[in-house]
Amino acid sequence: MEFETNGSERMRIHSNGVLSASAGVALGVGTANTASNVLDDYEEGTFTPVFSSGVSGSNYTNQVGKYTKIGNQCFFQIQITGNGLGASTAQIQIGGLPFLSNNAPPYGGATVNYSNNFKSDGDITLHIGSNSQLIYFFQYSGSSLLGTEATSINSALLIQGQYITA
């Protein structure tokens, strides 16, 4: 079933019962069309995370990323495990996030849910920077976490986080 205004399709109910609206759906505004309350983007998908700095080598046992994007918010989960990777003196970074981050604060962040002794003291914070598709690893002190400071660079990491997309 299609709904049109001035000869242009605006909304459709598909045969499987899914409703689609070409310009989004206004939520919580009654019959008003308030732009700030229009949900105009929803997406689920996968991506391939990769250590882009702080390690040498490119072999992985696990390399899985999943995301849900609602409006300009991207929520993600990562499972990554190196296999024979070496450490370098650069800051550890994971690349491959599915969307470019916003270029203004607040920036995104993530948490390590499981690290299998990646850093024995657990002193890890994660940050998504401005205009970036990278996760930057820091120590709680605020200094960059270098590959050579990780206890076991090939340990399994389970990460989840959120950031605002550009």
Side-chain angles (χ1 to χ4, degrees):
M1 180 180 293
E2 296 178 13
F3 298 87
E4 297 182 0
T5 58
N6 297 325
S8 296
E9 183 180 344
R10 303 295 182 192
M11 189 169 66
R12 177 183 293 192
I13 300 175
H14 298 267
S15 61
N16 62 359
V18 172
L19 172 69
S20 59
S22 60
V25 177
L27 301 172
V29 294
T31 58
N33 183 8
T34 307
S36 63
N37 290 6
V38 172
L39 176 60
D40 58 0
D41 190 12
Y42 179 88
E43 182 179 334
E44 296 178 0
T46 62
F47 63 98
T48 304
V50 60
F51 283 109
S52 58
S53 180
V55 302
S56 60
S58 60
N59 293 322
Y60 297 90
T61 303
N62 290 304
Q63 205 176 359
V64 178
K66 295 183 178 184
Y67 71 89
T68 301
K69 184 174 183 283
I70 304 171
N72 68 351
Q73 301 288 315
C74 181
F75 302 89
F76 64 90
Q77 301 82 37
I78 291 174
Q79 180 174 349
I80 189 168
T81 308
N83 183 4
L85 300 176
S88 79
T89 57
Q91 180 183 26
I92 299 171
Q93 298 173 10
I94 292 178
L97 291 176
F99 304 98
L100 192 65
S101 65
N102 192 17
N103 65 354
Y107 303 114
T111 58
V112 176
N113 296 326
Y114 176 76
S115 72
N116 192 23
N117 203 31
F118 184 81
K119 183 149 177 14
S120 60
D121 61 8
D123 182 21
I124 302 172
T125 64
L126 305 176
H127 174 72
I128 293 103
S130 172
N131 278 331
S132 179
Q133 289 178 277
L134 298 171
I135 301 170
Y136 299 88
F137 283 61
F138 290 91
Q139 301 186 58
Y140 283 128
S141 64
S143 62
S144 297
L145 177 62
L146 309 180
T148 53
E149 296 172 321
T151 306
S152 176
I153 204 76
N154 291 292
S155 297
L157 285 174
L158 299 178
I159 298 169
Q160 71 177 28
Q162 175 274 332
Y163 64 101
I164 299 172
T165 62

